[in-house]
Amino acid sequence: MASHIVGYPRMGPKRELKFALESFWDGKSTAEDLQKVSADLRSAIWKQMSEAGTKYIPSNTFAHYDQVLDTTAMLGAVPPRYGYTGGEIGLDVYFSMARGNASVPAMEMTKWFDTNYHYIVPELGPEVNFSYASHKAVNEYKEAKALGVETVPVLVGPVSYLLLSKAAKGVEKSFDLLSLLPKVLAVYKEVITELKAAGATWIQLDEPVLVMDLEGHKLEAFTAAYAELESTLSGLNVLVETYFADIPAEAYKTLTSLKGVTAYGFDLVRGTKTLDLVKSSFPAGKYLFAGVVDGRNIWANDFAASLSTLQELEGVVGKDKLVVSTSCSLLHTAVDLVNETKLDDEIKSWLAFAAQKVVEVNALAKALAGHKDEALFSANAAALASRRSSPRVTNEGVQKAAAALKGSDHRRATNVSARLDAQQKKLNLPILPTTTIGSFPQTVELRRVRREYKAKKVSEEDYVKAMKEEIKKVVDLQEELDIDVLVHGEPERNDMVEYFGEQLSGFAFTANGWVQSYGSRCVKPPVIYGDVSRPKAMTVFWSAMAQSMTSRPMKGMLTGPVTILNWSFVRNDQPRHETCYQIALAIKDEVEDLEKGGIGVIQIDEAALREGLPLRKSEHAFYLDWAVHSFRITNCGVQDSTQIHTHMCYSHFNDIIHSIIDMDADVITIENSRSDEKLLSVFREGVKYGAGIGPGVYDIHSPRIPSTEEIAERVNKMLAVLEQNILWVNPDCGLKTRKYTEVKPALKNMVDAAKLIRSQLASAK
């Protein structure tokens, strides 16, 4: 029985790629240095999978930024502003598209489906001159072959690529991206032909958009695309992989009828209804790649349940046509449990990271073939039983408090207009008030102090002193820049979720459980294994300290319950919304303690609310109802004069704008600049928004420093659709990943732009 891995984490067990990328970007190492680190990591991954017995090992899943940007490079679809003139695309053009450079901004970045991973959105139009401009897929296949490892080259499928793209600036909104399919397919044919010539016998085409709600003409595009590729694909075994949700019946019918396709991959963890489709109608003679090992969470597989499912499927598709697989790429989970030193043995026994999931896939394949590892299966059953019965998992008081939430919608008693009046009397802010999103640059020295404090090499007294000095520096800088509502810079926090999880019960933390978010940015999601509560105040000490340093309003900074949930590895033994309500009650306690501590502006970030939106429209209403309700629970008890902010990150917001309004925050700051100000279009289309709103005026994920004039132009565009008395001026996101040499001039220009517009508005009266 064969086994398959959809994809694997790229960063390395100790984030080797992250550090190599940042060294290269900072000019401290060469392209050759970066390529060597990458090649070493790829080699180790292929060797690991091969030694575990994996038959279908992926190649070309190792990206220096993301796999969609790799596809843009392969197709030569470089926007004109990057000065690309043809030939093989090098790292300079590649990283300029991802990060921008001194003269031009980066391309838009958005969430990859409903994950915390991001991709760079292709900018396409009728004038794009597609050409085969990156031979990475073929080169990596040859690289693995030279090491003695036969791999399955993985490409983002042509239809998914186009449907994940956007029309470039200046292109008519009515432009149909699918009209570019013939030009795109011409390049795919070249790539596939070259892969065949190199000796490839299998190819994997990822078409994840098939799990979305697709109109008929989009499904027809799949049929047309694969009919066009059929002769080129001849002689290859072709796997079309889907993941992240159930595949709708019509899409299933389209997929299983595609020309030239040998195998179909399905997520059977998040797509349990797909099982019924497979059982009722699966094409004879085709392979089923059954994704029974969860690629998006870190819980050990239930071997008995998975084996039962696989045996049932074996009766449908045949023993020689069933392949055991992961539900999706393992990119979304941590790398290797072997590296964990912080987790105790009990919790560790409940988990499986990417390396362990490779073992799980192969163990299930061997068991299905009649070679069951009895010791491994017994240990798995014991670990699952331990988790079910552990007293650490359940807290009756928390469960009762969460159950008592039913029957109330937890809205603040006064409407937002009256609250804003009460807040203005207290805060006395100018029009177009300026603020930042929360974090300030985290210097090497700051990280060192925090690391040494955790390792008990620095006393608590010295740690607090160092943090106080950093907070004072950040407060003084903001006052010098004349920012209106200040932040303390979050020097005590490595991560906006990890910091809170470490202080809440029901959470466990890893030492090296890093997961890539975008580029070199990695996060270390906490593990929610049990009921959640707040034993003591988490942020009041630091916020009160910062407020004592200034007469200006100081924001208390919290992470909201939905974001903590969506950016954690969440327990899978109860519904997600029940866990979210528990977190909401813990954050509510913190909000009320901040208010008692004299903090009059409190930001509760819900950066990940949109990313948790289910992929199918039929499931949107239920998710948005409990997610928005969870946010309202956190702040329903504060006074009218306490201003509640929230922040949302890179994503598509227009389709949930009414739910955002229903959150009933006093002020929302939201990404806007990198997405070509798409957010503003919803207000142009007539949506009325009465609360404060700060669409980001510049992109913090690029080192580029925007001019005062550029920011002022953005603010004027906002004023064309938003009232001046509700508009805030702020960056897109937190400043943690930037350097002070970038932050100071960018914020100065932002404040100057706000003052310029204020004076223009005053003159116009």
Side-chain angles (χ1 to χ4, degrees):
M1 191 59 59
S3 54
H4 166 251
I5 306 297
V6 177
Y8 201 81
R10 307 160 185 148
M11 283 290 130
K14 295 183 179 175
R15 295 182 291 161
E16 291 90 339
L17 182 60
K18 168 191 172 65
F19 300 120
L21 283 166
E22 291 173 356
S23 177
F24 174 70
W25 293 337
D26 289 342
K28 295 175 182 173
S29 62
T30 65
E32 290 74 22
D33 296 328
L34 174 59
Q35 297 292 12
K36 184 179 185 313
V37 171
S38 303
D40 288 347
L41 286 169
R42 285 193 295 271
S43 173
I45 291 166
W46 292 328
K47 183 181 177 186
Q48 175 194 355
M49 288 195 221
S50 179
E51 289 177 350
T54 312
K55 180 173 181 181
Y56 300 109
I57 297 171
S59 60
N60 197 42
T61 60
F62 191 99
H64 280 134
Y65 217 86
D66 77 75
Q67 69 273 30
V68 179
L69 184 62
D70 280 2
T71 311
T72 296
M74 181 185 84
L75 295 168
V78 182
R81 65 182 177 275
Y82 299 108
Y84 170 67
T85 55
E88 189 79 3
I89 287 176
L91 291 178
D92 53 345
V93 172
Y94 180 89
F95 287 130
S96 289
M97 289 192 286
R99 307 177 71 239
N101 58 43
S103 56
V104 290
M107 293 164 70
E108 179 185 353
M109 180 170 71
T110 198
K111 295 288 171 76
W112 177 245
F113 293 83
D114 58 347
T115 74
N116 186 31
Y117 182 65
H118 300 68
Y119 74 96
I120 301 296
V121 183
E123 301 173 13
L124 305 178
E127 306 304 316
V128 175
N129 182 26
F130 293 99
S131 64
Y132 186 11
S134 169
H135 292 65
K136 177 178 174 291
V138 177
N139 292 341
E140 284 192 19
Y141 172 77
K142 289 178 177 176
E143 183 184 321
K145 200 173 182 74
L147 295 168
V149 181
E150 182 59 34
T151 62
V152 179
V154 179
L155 302 175
V156 174
V159 184
S160 287
Y161 176 79
L162 289 174
L163 293 179
L164 292 167
S165 302
K166 69 173 186 177
K169 211 167 186 177
V171 172
E172 289 291 328
K173 275 188 179 179
S174 59
F175 177 71
D176 181 9
L177 290 162
L178 289 173
S179 68
L180 298 172
L181 198 51
K183 293 179 181 177
V184 165
L185 290 175
V187 180
Y188 272 82
K189 286 179 183 179
E190 289 187 69
V191 180
I192 293 163
T193 300
E194 220 175 89
L195 284 168
K196 281 165 69 175
T201 57
W202 277 83
I203 185 171
Q204 177 179 318
L205 292 156
D206 284 5
E207 294 282 14
V209 298
L210 278 165
V211 304
M212 308 287 280
D213 297 306
L214 298 179
E215 302 95 325
H217 77 281
K218 291 177 180 174
L219 290 175
E220 287 163 13
F222 283 94
T223 303
Y226 284 83
E228 178 64 26
L229 289 174
E230 184 181 13
S231 60
T232 309
L233 291 169
S234 177
L236 277 174
N237 287 297
V238 180
L239 164 63
V240 175
E241 185 69 52
T242 67
Y243 35 78
F244 297 152
D246 280 302
I247 184 165
E250 277 304 305
Y252 178 82
K253 188 176 172 185
T254 298
L255 171 60
T256 53
S257 304
L258 292 180
K259 303 277 189 184
V261 176
T262 320
Y264 315 104
F266 298 114
D267 181 337
L268 300 181
V269 176
R270 289 183 172 235
T272 50
K273 293 175 190 170
T274 302
L275 272 172
D276 296 330
L277 293 171
V278 171
K279 289 173 193 172
S280 64
S281 167
F282 192 80
K286 303 290 186 180
Y287 288 85
L288 171 63
F289 281 60
V292 294
V293 172
D294 193 351
R296 286 186 58 175
N297 216 328
I298 42 68
W299 302 106
N301 188 267
D302 183 335
F303 279 174
S306 293
L307 190 57
S308 174
T309 298
L310 290 165
Q311 287 166 338
E312 197 175 356
L313 289 170
E314 192 177 52
V316 176
V317 305
K319 189 181 273 287
D320 62 331
K321 298 295 182 186
L322 182 61
V323 178
V324 183
S325 183
T326 54
S327 64
C328 62
S329 173
L330 298 176
L331 173 72
H332 309 288
T333 189
V335 179
D336 195 341
L337 203 51
V338 169
N339 299 315
E340 288 313 315
T341 53
K342 288 176 71 172
L343 295 169
D344 63 68
D345 289 343
E346 183 182 34
I347 288 180
K348 209 168 173 179
S349 75
W350 302 343
L351 308 180
F353 290 0
Q356 288 68 48
K357 289 175 187 291
V358 171
V359 172
E360 289 182 335
V361 166
N362 285 286
L364 286 166
K366 287 168 187 168
L368 201 56
H371 306 293
K372 186 177 179 184
D373 184 332
E374 296 292 350
L376 193 62
F377 270 66
S378 294
N380 176 261
L384 294 174
S386 154
R387 186 176 164 213
R388 279 192 294 268
S389 61
S390 174
R392 304 168 71 176
V393 171
T394 307
N395 181 322
E396 277 189 33
V398 171
Q399 294 196 351
K400 282 180 184 172
L405 293 170
K406 290 171 185 171
S408 170
D409 63 4
H410 297 91
R411 291 183 186 276
R412 290 170 77 179
T414 313
N415 68 40
V416 70
S417 177
R419 297 198 310 261
L420 288 173
D421 287 344
Q423 291 155 18
Q424 181 57 14
K425 282 175 188 167
K426 179 179 175 182
L427 300 172
N428 193 29
L429 297 172
I431 61 163
L432 309 182
T434 54
T435 191
T436 65
I437 304 305
S439 61
F440 264 65
Q442 301 239 330
T443 62
V444 172
E445 175 62 16
L446 178 59
R447 291 177 190 275
R448 181 193 64 77
V449 171
R450 204 168 52 221
R451 189 169 57 247
E452 291 187 355
Y453 174 64
K454 279 196 170 186
K456 297 185 167 47
K457 293 178 182 176
V458 170
S459 70
E460 182 166 3
E461 184 182 350
D462 287 342
Y463 172 71
V464 170
K465 183 184 175 192
M467 294 301 109
K468 185 174 182 179
E469 287 171 0
E470 184 68 21
I471 291 169
K472 183 74 168 78
K473 181 175 84 173
V474 169
V475 170
D476 288 349
L477 172 61
Q478 291 172 94
E479 289 194 324
E480 177 192 325
L481 292 167
D482 205 17
I483 292 172
D484 299 303
V485 175
L486 311 190
V487 297
H488 77 288
E490 305 175 12
E492 78 285 9
R493 306 178 195 181
N494 176 59
D495 177 88
M496 63 187 285
V497 173
E498 182 180 1
Y499 176 79
F500 291 97
E502 284 179 332
Q503 300 181 78
L504 295 169
S505 64
F507 283 74
F509 285 85
T510 63
N512 290 293
W514 297 99
V515 178
Q516 185 181 14
S517 178
Y518 63 86
S520 67
R521 169 80 170 140
C522 297
V523 294
K524 198 165 51 165
V527 177
I528 305 178
Y529 67 85
D531 291 333
V532 177
S533 62
R534 186 198 73 145
K536 61 181 182 182
M538 301 180 285
T539 66
V540 178
F541 174 76
W542 301 112
S543 293
M545 175 193 290
Q547 184 63 81
S548 73
M549 297 174 180
T550 180
S551 59
R552 301 184 185 213
M554 174 64 62
K555 281 197 281 191
M557 300 299 304
L558 304 175
T559 302
V562 184
T563 296
I564 291 176
L565 183 88
N566 284 337
W567 286 358
S568 298
F569 290 125
V570 183
R571 59 191 292 190
N572 58 359
D573 59 346
Q574 72 177 14
R576 288 172 70 87
H577 68 271
E578 291 183 16
T579 303
C580 198
Y581 286 149
Q582 293 178 1
I583 302 169
L585 287 170
I587 299 299
K588 180 177 186 287
D589 290 344
E590 187 71 11
V591 167
E592 291 169 8
D593 278 353
L594 279 168
E595 185 182 55
K596 287 174 195 164
I599 303 301
V601 182
I602 302 169
Q603 182 169 308
I604 308 165
D605 286 344
E606 282 297 12
L609 186 138
R610 174 62 175 79
E611 89 180 32
L613 191 70
L615 300 177
R616 304 289 290 283
K617 288 175 184 169
S618 60
E619 299 168 20
H620 285 190
F622 178 67
Y623 167 78
L624 290 168
D625 179 65
W626 63 255
V628 169
H629 188 190
S630 296
F631 177 81
R632 289 201 305 262
I633 288 167
T634 65
N635 60 87
C636 63
V638 300
Q639 299 171 22
D640 287 356
S641 58
T642 296
Q643 189 166 84
I644 299 295
H645 289 224
T646 191
H647 171 67
M648 293 187 175
C649 280
Y650 295 81
S651 210
H652 298 293
F653 298 110
N654 293 19
D655 55 346
I656 63 161
I657 192 66
H658 292 289
S659 294
I660 291 173
I661 293 169
D662 199 38
M663 290 169 73
D664 200 28
D666 298 311
V667 179
I668 180 169
T669 54
I670 199 161
E671 183 279 325
N672 174 66
S673 66
R674 192 161 180 173
S675 57
D676 292 331
E677 296 152 351
K678 273 191 293 198
L679 174 70
L680 299 186
S681 66
V682 79
F683 301 112
R684 291 190 194 100
E685 290 158 12
V687 170
K688 298 295 179 193
Y689 193 74
I693 184 166
V697 296
Y698 79 90
D699 174 23
I700 65 89
H701 288 96
S702 170
R704 183 173 167 274
I705 297 163
S707 67
T708 299
E709 294 72 25
E710 182 184 330
I711 295 174
E713 184 184 350
R714 279 217 161 97
V715 174
N716 276 320
K717 283 183 182 177
M718 296 170 191
L719 287 170
V721 292
L722 293 165
E723 298 293 331
Q724 65 185 49
N725 64 325
I726 65 168
L727 186 62
W728 285 64
V729 178
N730 47 263
D732 260 349
C733 208
L735 305 169
K736 179 197 297 184
T737 59
R738 300 267 56 90
K739 299 179 175 69
Y740 272 106
T741 52
E742 299 158 349
V743 165
K744 288 179 183 177
L747 289 181
K748 181 182 184 303
N749 292 349
M750 183 188 83
V751 173
D752 287 348
K755 290 179 176 177
L756 176 66
I757 304 287
R758 284 176 199 156
S759 64
Q760 290 172 351
L761 291 171
S763 301
K765 282 184 180 176

